[in-house]
């Protein structure tokens, strides 16, 4: 037993094996394997008595090979809680932070029990003297830290298969496990805000009826409520403060036990969503951890191998390089840290059946020893991995470090959050007088960003709003952010929102303003869903969800963030409109092409595959694009004469479409262009944002001068009657 350990019974421990890492139940016992390159010894503490924070048994891992300490305990069963204590040199000035007084979470733990108890712990490194990390704690405290849990990894998937939605057909719905159902009356109260609540038939029916194909979940890796939030009475809602990369967050489990049952509940959620044809993508945070800067808490990685897991300041290894704004940066350039990241990703892909990953601050993972390396170890490893390379890979292509903005520069297998799309759409609709030229590339898949690298439109994850920023309702209701509830004096969050309150800041009873706000939401949703690329809808935007002007609600685990399902007439109409726009996208291959338009004449009839039409019915010329006063344009997509194929090589039935976008405040006359097919000279209006629910079906002739109301999007179908 190490110095300072509590009294415990003797345990028979065999040498065990070094692989796989973590605590693996093998039917008759548990094998423990813990990586630490420079620890002098590793101790395991078992907490076998329910509700007790006193270890019932402690033992040293007897085996040591390949920088891994290992041991096998016969008779140990799933559900056992445990922690790790690492012996070694404590010299923060040299980057060494081994301290046997710290009970550590296993980096490979498949389940984690309990929070960090900031209220009772003596977390001197955070609250005390700035130099306090130089002094080592000597008295162990097991009560205020989370415990790892041994689990039984067996689960009956009942033949579950991934939906494998092709990229061209993907419609992403970014949402939060808790917020989506926390106030949903159709979900039983005891399931609201949980994995089981997301898997409830009422929730799944809502998602499938809406028409989305892919659910993207905000972080569900086990995370920590940071201390500075605890002191303000707030909680970490978004989850970007990871503690365990293999463990699902236990607070989202309907069954609040301490045996790791949330693992099976999570798997059950994925299985239910898959059965309904819905993919599941996870937002993952491998760029930093919850341990913060040099004064942060020692909870796991720091105490096991600080020099391996983190990027330390060259010449001053007491301190951490920070490309993330959180105090530390995970070192994906280190082979052993890279192994952990890849092991984690493969675990979620294979054992948890996850369909893809959205990588928070993905640029950080591409950083080498000195600068960003777009062909560096992490991206190369993912590219050649037979499992991960087949999953959906989405990068948030920036971080806060030098040269950290990489939009358009990720490798060919990746898609990217396209903030240029976000800003162009917001500016066009909200910033009055913004020219149409900025929208040209964005509406057609951003070929200026992705074509040269060999990628198609699907590489652009198009979004107008996301979890980070205003909701769509707030984007048209507030000129300024209102983050006072975060307790930071409204200093947090982005100040450049490209928003517009249209006359009144926040809630109003002015019907004209409310109508205009609803209209602008429809315009931006139509733009999103009718653009080439992969659309991502922020969950709740389809029902006018508001966060009361808070554009950084990361710590608002309350009604500010939870979806309000008590819908007024405007919210119901917006929902109907969104369903219509999604259904049109799903039935019109010309809105979701796998290749970029070329703007060249087709062989059959001389029409261009894509033509930009001026209000007078003629094609736009170069001078028109440079005219900052133009606020109206049409996109004629010559689908009748194009050969379009799906990912399996099957020819798709296409027709011509005409998308009319008018951003000016006043009505305008717009002359409709020719329809491609000579025998058909009609355009059929199938969506009109001038209508609260978007529904308008009317027939118009080519060459007809159409009166278009101010701030309107219209979509026309060419050459045939619209059925239904």
């Amino acid at each position: 037993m190490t110095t300072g350990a509590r009294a415990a019974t003797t345990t028979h421990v065999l040498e065990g094996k070094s692989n796989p890492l973590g605590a693996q139940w093998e039917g008759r016992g548990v094998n423990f394997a813990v990586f630490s390159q420079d620890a002098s010894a590793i101790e395991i503490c078992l907490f076998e008595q329910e509700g007790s924070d006193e270890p019932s048994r402690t033992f040293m891992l007897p085996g040591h090979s390949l920088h891994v300490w290992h041991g096998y305990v016969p008779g140990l069963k799933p559900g056992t809680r445990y922690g790790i204590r690492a012996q070694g040199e404590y010299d923060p000035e040299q980057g060494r932070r081994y301290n046997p007084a710290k009970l550590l979470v296993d980096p490979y733990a498949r389940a984690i029990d309990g929070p960090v108890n900031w209220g009772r712990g003596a977390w001197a490194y955070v609250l005390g003297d700035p130099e306090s990390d130089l002094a080592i704690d000597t008295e162990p405290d097991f009560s205020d830290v989370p415990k790892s849990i041994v689990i039984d990894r067996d689960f009956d998937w009942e033949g579950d298969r991934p939906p494998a939605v092709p990229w061209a057909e993907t419609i992403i719905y970014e949402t939060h496990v808790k917020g989506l159902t926390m106030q949903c009356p159709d979900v039983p109260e005891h399931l609201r805000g949980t994995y089981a609540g997301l898997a409830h038939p009422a929730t799944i029916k809502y998602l499938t009826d809406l028409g989305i194909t892919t659910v993207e979940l905000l972080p569900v890796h086990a995370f920590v409520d940071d201390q500075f939030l605890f002191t303000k009475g707030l909680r970490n809602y978004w989850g970007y403060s990871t503690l365990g990369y293999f463990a699902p967050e236990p607070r989202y489990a309907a069954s609040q036990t301490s045996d790791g049952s949330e693992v099976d509940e999570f798997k059950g959620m994925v299985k239910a969503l898959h059965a309904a044809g819905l993919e599941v993508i996870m937002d993952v945070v491998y760029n930093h951890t919850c341990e913060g800067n040099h004064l942060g808490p020692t909870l796991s990685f720091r105490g096991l191998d600080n020099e391996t897991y983190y990027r330390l300041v060259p010449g001053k290894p007491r301190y951490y390089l920070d490309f993330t704004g959180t105090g530390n940066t995970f070192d994906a350039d280190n082979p052993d840290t890279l192994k952990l990241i890849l092991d984690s990703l493969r675990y979620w892909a294979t054992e948890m059946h996850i369909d893809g990953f959205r990588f928070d601050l993905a640029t950080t993972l591409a950083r080498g020893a000195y600068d960003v390396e777009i062909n560096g170890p992490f991206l190369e490893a993912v590219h050649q991995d037979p499992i991960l390379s087949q999953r959906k890979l989405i990068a948030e292509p920036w971080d806060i470090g030098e040269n950290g903005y990489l939009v358009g520069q990720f490798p060919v297998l990746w898609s990217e959050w396209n903030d240029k799309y976000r800003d162009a759409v917001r500016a066009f609709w909200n910033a009055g007088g913004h020219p149409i030229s900025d929208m040209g590339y964005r509406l057609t898949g951003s070929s200026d960003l992705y074509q040269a690298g060999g990628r198609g439109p699907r590489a652009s994850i198009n979004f107008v709003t996301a979890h980070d920023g205003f909701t769509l309702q707030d984007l048209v209701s507030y000129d300024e952010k209102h983050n006072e509830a975060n307790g930071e004096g409204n200093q947090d969050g982005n100040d450049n929102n490209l928003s517009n309150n249209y006359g009144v800041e926040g809630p109003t009873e002015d019907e004209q303003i409310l109508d205009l706000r609803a209209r602008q939401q429809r315009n931006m949703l139509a733009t999103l869903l009718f653009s080439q690329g992969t659309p991502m809808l922020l969950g709740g935007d389809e029902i006018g969800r508001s966060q009361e002007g808070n554009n950084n609600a990361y710590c608002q685990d309350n009604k500010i963030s939870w979806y309000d399902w008590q819908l007024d007439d405007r919210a119901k109409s917006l929902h109907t409109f969104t369903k219509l726009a999604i259904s049109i996208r799903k039935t019109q291959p010309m809105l979701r092409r796998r290749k970029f338009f070329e703007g060249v004449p087709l062989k059959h009839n001389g029409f261009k595959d894509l033509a930009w039409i001026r209000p007078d019915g003629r094609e736009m010329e170069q001078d028109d694009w440079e005219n900052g006063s133009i606020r109206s344009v049409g996109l004629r997509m010559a689908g009748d004469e194009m050969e379009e194929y799906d990912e399996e090589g099957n020819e798709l039935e296409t027709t011509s479409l005409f998308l009319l976008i008018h951003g000016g405040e006043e009505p305008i006359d717009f002359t409709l262009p020719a329809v491609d097919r000579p025998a058909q000279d009609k355009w059929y209006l199938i969506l009109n944002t001038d209508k609260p629910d978007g529904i308008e079906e009317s027939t118009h002739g080519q060459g007809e001068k159409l009166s278009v109301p101010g701030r309107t999007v219209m979509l026309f179908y060419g050459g045939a009657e619209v059925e239904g």
Side-chain angles (χ1 to χ4, degrees):
M1 185 182 298
T2 61
T3 302
R6 313 286 174 94
T9 59
T10 302
T11 299
H12 179 55
V13 184
L14 305 178
E15 182 169 322
K17 55 188 178 180
S18 62
N19 187 58
L21 293 171
Q24 305 290 329
W25 183 61
E26 300 181 347
R28 296 184 178 180
V30 175
N31 188 82
F32 292 91
V34 180
F35 168 82
S36 183
Q37 185 165 321
D38 293 310
S40 59
I42 294 291
E43 180 183 28
I44 301 296
C45 301
L46 300 181
F47 300 85
E48 298 168 285
Q49 297 179 3
E50 185 175 353
S52 174
D53 285 317
E54 291 293 322
S56 55
R57 288 186 280 172
T58 68
F59 53 88
M60 310 304 295
L61 293 178
H64 187 212
S65 55
L66 305 175
H67 294 157
V68 176
W69 294 88
H70 46 88
Y72 181 82
V73 182
L76 205 61
K77 297 180 179 180
T80 302
R81 297 181 302 147
Y82 69 98
I84 300 171
R85 301 170 76 191
Q87 293 186 13
E89 183 181 6
Y90 189 82
D91 186 358
E93 293 284 13
Q94 299 303 314
R96 303 288 177 88
R97 292 181 179 267
Y98 296 104
N99 182 356
K102 299 291 186 182
L103 186 73
L104 306 172
V105 170
D106 183 355
Y108 277 76
R110 267 51 177 189
I112 296 174
D113 174 50
V116 176
N117 193 328
W118 301 110
R120 295 188 309 182
W123 302 98
Y125 295 179
V126 178
L127 295 179
D129 187 286
E131 303 296 313
S132 63
D133 63 311
L134 298 178
I136 189 169
D137 297 341
T138 57
E139 182 62 30
D141 185 356
F142 301 111
S143 62
D144 298 320
V145 292
K147 313 296 188 298
S148 306
I149 307 174
V150 179
I151 68 165
D152 180 354
R153 293 163 65 174
D154 188 39
F155 181 80
D156 186 1
W157 282 100
E158 300 181 296
D160 173 72
R161 296 180 64 84
V165 179
W167 267 112
E169 298 174 16
T170 299
I171 302 172
I172 299 172
Y173 187 84
E174 188 194 33
T175 190
H176 189 283
V177 169
K178 185 174 184 178
L180 178 62
T181 64
M182 195 61 188
Q183 299 186 106
C184 183
D186 296 327
V187 173
E189 188 171 359
H190 70 285
L191 298 181
R192 293 174 191 170
T194 69
Y195 302 123
L198 182 52
H200 189 270
T203 310
I204 291 177
K205 184 177 187 302
Y206 176 81
L207 296 171
T208 54
D209 284 352
L210 183 61
I212 58 101
T213 68
T214 305
V215 177
E216 182 176 310
L217 301 177
L218 266 68
V220 290
H221 284 159
F223 60 89
V224 167
D225 287 318
D226 306 279
Q227 186 180 27
F228 75 95
L229 291 177
F230 174 83
T231 60
K232 295 188 291 186
L234 298 171
R235 299 188 69 184
N236 185 339
Y237 178 68
W238 287 352
Y240 291 91
S241 193
T242 307
L243 173 62
Y245 288 114
F246 293 80
E249 172 53 46
R251 74 185 70 185
Y252 301 146
S255 176
Q256 287 294 307
T257 60
S258 299
D259 58 2
S261 61
E262 64 269 15
V263 178
D264 281 356
E265 187 177 329
F266 185 95
K267 292 177 178 178
M269 174 195 73
V270 174
K271 183 169 72 172
L273 291 169
H274 280 182
L278 295 168
E279 293 182 310
V280 183
I281 289 178
M282 287 172 52
D283 192 336
V284 290
V285 191
Y286 294 107
N287 58 80
H288 73 277
T289 77
C290 63
E291 291 184 305
N293 65 14
H294 65 290
L295 298 175
T298 297
L299 299 172
S300 179
F301 312 96
R302 172 176 287 150
L304 282 169
D305 202 323
N306 187 54
E307 294 171 283
T308 290
Y309 288 122
Y310 293 111
R311 292 181 180 270
L312 306 180
V313 175
K316 296 182 178 180
R318 174 187 169 195
Y319 303 102
Y320 296 82
L321 291 173
D322 183 8
F323 300 116
T324 66
T326 66
N328 67 57
T329 301
F330 221 41
D331 189 1
D333 198 45
N334 182 287
D336 291 297
T337 306
L338 178 61
K339 171 179 166 54
L340 180 144
I341 294 172
L342 295 173
D343 286 349
S344 168
L345 289 169
R346 282 190 289 264
Y347 173 76
W348 290 95
T350 57
E351 293 204 28
M352 308 297 268
H353 289 206
I354 290 298
D355 302 286
F357 305 92
R358 179 266 185 188
F359 292 82
D360 180 65
L361 299 183
T363 295
T364 301
L365 300 175
R367 288 191 175 274
Y370 302 103
D371 204 349
V372 175
E373 297 177 0
I374 205 61
N375 293 315
F378 170 74
L379 294 175
E380 284 193 350
V382 171
H383 186 88
Q384 61 79 41
D385 190 283
I387 296 171
L388 301 179
S389 63
Q390 303 304 306
R391 296 301 191 269
K392 283 188 163 79
L393 303 171
I394 301 172
E396 182 183 35
W398 52 76
D399 65 13
I400 68 168
E402 185 177 0
N403 302 319
Y405 186 76
L406 296 183
V407 172
Q409 299 181 47
F410 269 71
V412 68
L413 294 181
W414 290 72
S415 295
E416 301 173 10
W417 271 28
N418 186 350
D419 65 331
K420 293 183 182 295
Y421 181 94
R422 175 199 64 197
D423 293 348
V425 174
R426 288 185 177 193
F428 179 77
W429 288 112
N430 275 338
H434 207 77
I436 193 67
S437 57
D438 287 359
M439 290 276 281
Y441 279 120
R442 308 307 150 224
L443 291 167
T444 55
S446 296
S447 60
D448 58 327
L449 299 175
Y450 305 113
Q451 190 168 31
R455 291 183 282 176
R458 66 89 159 173
S460 179
I461 302 297
N462 298 332
F463 66 105
V464 179
T465 54
H467 70 275
D468 186 3
F470 280 144
T471 66
L472 190 61
Q473 175 69 51
D474 290 351
L475 193 66
V476 296
S477 302
Y478 295 91
D479 276 351
E480 308 291 340
K481 66 186 181 184
H482 294 269
N483 299 354
E484 290 81 5
N486 296 353
E488 299 179 41
N490 204 32
Q491 298 301 305
D492 61 305
N494 197 336
D495 292 316
N496 183 28
N497 296 291
L498 295 171
S499 61
N500 194 329
N501 66 20
Y502 295 99
V504 175
E505 186 75 353
T508 181
E509 296 182 359
D510 187 311
E511 293 294 326
Q512 288 187 323
I513 293 176
L514 291 174
D515 286 344
L516 178 54
R517 289 175 176 177
R519 183 188 202 91
Q520 291 293 68
Q521 290 177 78
R522 296 193 295 272
N523 285 330
M524 285 185 273
L525 285 169
T527 303
L528 173 67
L529 291 164
F530 297 156
S531 294
Q532 302 296 321
T534 305
M536 184 186 79
L537 178 69
L538 173 62
D541 277 356
E542 77 280 8
I543 54 172
R545 183 174 73 90
S546 173
Q547 292 178 170
E548 301 175 11
N550 192 319
N551 76 349
N552 188 35
Y554 75 102
C555 56
Q556 299 301 322
D557 188 2
N558 51 51
K559 292 183 179 180
I560 289 177
S561 297
W562 302 341
Y563 296 23
D564 182 359
W565 294 103
Q566 302 300 315
L567 308 184
D568 60 20
D569 289 341
R570 282 192 176 83
K572 292 176 181 176
S573 293
L574 186 61
H575 180 262
T576 300
F577 174 87
T578 308
K579 285 181 61 176
L580 173 62
I582 290 175
S583 69
I584 290 173
R585 180 182 179 88
K586 295 176 77 171
T587 57
Q588 296 296 327
M590 294 304 293
L591 295 175
R592 43 185 174 83
R593 298 191 72 230
R594 296 171 58 234
K595 298 180 180 180
F596 291 109
F597 287 108
E598 297 181 12
V600 297
L602 301 169
K603 297 178 181 179
H604 308 288
N605 59 10
F607 280 101
K608 294 179 179 178
D609 60 352
L610 173 71
W612 297 90
I613 308 300
R614 303 189 316 191
D616 62 8
R618 295 186 296 170
E619 283 196 42
M620 290 184 68
E621 300 177 356
Q622 185 60 42
D623 290 345
D624 295 321
W625 289 109
E626 298 171 358
N627 183 348
S629 65
I630 292 181
R631 301 277 292 142
S632 308
V633 71
L635 290 74
R636 185 184 62 199
M637 294 162 268
D640 276 324
E641 301 299 333
M642 291 182 66
E643 296 179 352
E644 194 75 13
Y645 300 89
D646 64 19
E647 293 189 357
E648 297 179 352
N650 301 309
E651 187 170 2
L652 299 171
E653 183 177 348
T654 61
T655 189
S656 296
L657 297 176
F658 182 62
L659 178 63
L660 191 160
I661 296 177
H662 173 43
E665 297 180 21
E666 301 300 324
I668 190 174
D669 289 336
F670 204 111
T671 300
L672 298 178
V675 182
D676 294 359
R677 191 176 298 169
Q680 303 289 341
D681 61 356
K682 301 295 183 184
W683 288 108
Y684 299 93
L685 180 60
I686 55 176
L687 180 139
N688 184 359
T689 63
D690 187 45
K691 307 298 181 182
D693 54 12
I695 299 173
E696 180 178 349
E697 297 180 1
S698 56
T699 305
H700 304 273
Q702 59 183 15
E704 177 182 333
K705 186 176 290 186
L706 186 68
S707 179
V708 180
R711 296 179 171 125
T712 297
V713 174
M714 295 179 174
L715 184 66
F716 299 82
Y717 174 107
E721 289 283 355
V722 178
E723 297 181 0

